[in-house]
Every structure is written in C-alpha cells, then in structure tokens.
Amino acid sequence: MNFLDLLRALFALAFTIGIIGLAAWAARRYAPQLLAKLSAERGERRMTVVETLVLDPARRLVLVKIDDEERLLILGEGRELIEPRGSGAGVGADQ
C-alpha cells in the first residue's frame, strides 16, 4: 500500500465522518420543526381509551370512548370481544 492509497483512504474516512456529522447537525437543527409539521394535530380525536384492566396475562378489558359512547372491549387470546350496543340501557329501561 503506497502513500497515495493511504491518503485516499484517510480522505474517504474524513469525508464519511463529515457527512455523518452534517446529517447529525441538520437533524438537531431542523428535525423538531419537521416532526412538528408531520405530527400536527388533525383535529379533535374521536376515540380515547378511558381505562384498561388486566384480567390475566392473556386477557385485558379496555373501556373505549367513541364520540359520546363508551364501549367495553375484551382483548386477548387472538380474538376481541365487543360488548353489544345498548346492553346496559335496555335492561334498566324495561324495569
């Protein structure tokens, strides 16, 4: 390996480290504004998780509010069960 090959390898290493440094500087300088634009709020969210309860290692209950209605979900074991609509309101109204 002669002197020119060594010089070329050192120049390539310095150039690569310089590009990495420039990318890191640009990310620190411009990434917060770019991420803020990309993750800008797209209006009010319609769905929120109200509460979760772990039943056992395989199952959990999740109370979800969609618009003004709360729904109970049972998640786990590769399937999801959703509480039927109006199950609580129909029983109390008849009695």
Side-chain angles (χ1 to χ4, degrees), residues 24-65:
W25 173 81
R28 292 183 77 191
R29 173 87 167 108
Y30 297 110
Q33 292 98 10
L34 181 63
L35 291 176
K37 287 180 184 178
L38 291 177
S39 65
E41 195 64 36
R42 293 178 181 89
E44 188 176 334
R45 294 189 180 265
R46 294 179 51 210
M47 183 172 67
T48 59
V49 175
V50 177
E51 189 174 346
T52 62
L53 176 66
V54 177
L55 298 176
D56 57 39
R59 294 179 304 194
R60 75 178 53 216
L61 289 172
V62 180
L63 185 62
V64 178
K65 184 174 184 177

Side-chain angles (χ1 to χ4, degrees), residues 48-85:
T48 59
V49 175
V50 177
E51 189 174 346
T52 62
L53 176 66
V54 177
L55 298 176
D56 57 39
R59 294 179 304 194
R60 75 178 53 216
L61 289 172
V62 180
L63 185 62
V64 178
K65 184 174 184 177
I66 303 172
D67 294 330
D68 291 328
E69 180 182 349
E70 289 185 345
R71 301 297 303 265
L72 184 63
L73 308 173
I74 302 174
L75 305 175
E77 297 180 352
R79 61 177 181 244
E80 296 79 26
L81 300 173
I82 302 172
E83 167 198 29
R85 287 183 182 235

